[in-house]
Amino acid sequence: MGELLRADGDALRALAVTIRGRADEITAVAVATPFSEAASAMPDSATGSAVAAAAAPAEVAYTTVAAKIREMAAAAESSATSYEETEQLFRSQLSRYRDGL
């Protein structure tokens, strides 16, 4: 695939699998744990309160990054399919030109 467009659909799909795996790894991180442990170690301090308050935004950030990486994976898969479809259309058109149609 990809002789005319020089695109490698298999490589794009492999990229999608790899980066989706990284998104899964990010999602699996227990982001809140170190925050809650640190806050528990300083129960009556302003620092402990600040650390506790930082847990939710950190979780949102990790979730957002993982979602964006999944979007990248979907784009890579979609690109592979799109390149293959376009390649086939180009080949068909070229064949018709060669056959004088």
Side-chain angles (χ1 to χ4, degrees):
M1 193 239 39
E3 291 176 29
L4 293 172
L5 298 178
R6 302 203 189 281
D8 188 338
D10 292 336
L12 286 167
R13 287 187 180 88
L15 172 65
V17 168
T18 299
I19 61 178
R20 188 172 289 112
R22 296 303 176 255
D24 292 343
E25 291 171 6
I26 291 168
T27 300
V29 173
V31 177
T33 302
F35 287 91
S36 62
E37 289 173 354
S40 295
M42 303 175 272
D44 297 321
S45 74
T47 302
S49 296
V51 169
E59 284 183 336
V60 169
Y62 271 67
T63 300
T64 301
V65 167
K68 294 298 180 187
I69 291 172
R70 284 190 182 88
E71 288 176 15
M72 289 170 44
E77 287 177 337
S78 176
S79 293
T81 300
S82 180
Y83 279 126
E84 289 168 348
E85 290 170 353
T86 302
E87 177 88 14
Q88 185 56 42
L89 289 170
F90 283 176
R91 285 184 181 285
S92 295
Q93 190 64 40
L94 210 69
S95 179
R96 284 193 296 273
Y97 287 147
R98 286 182 183 150
D99 294 341
L101 301 175

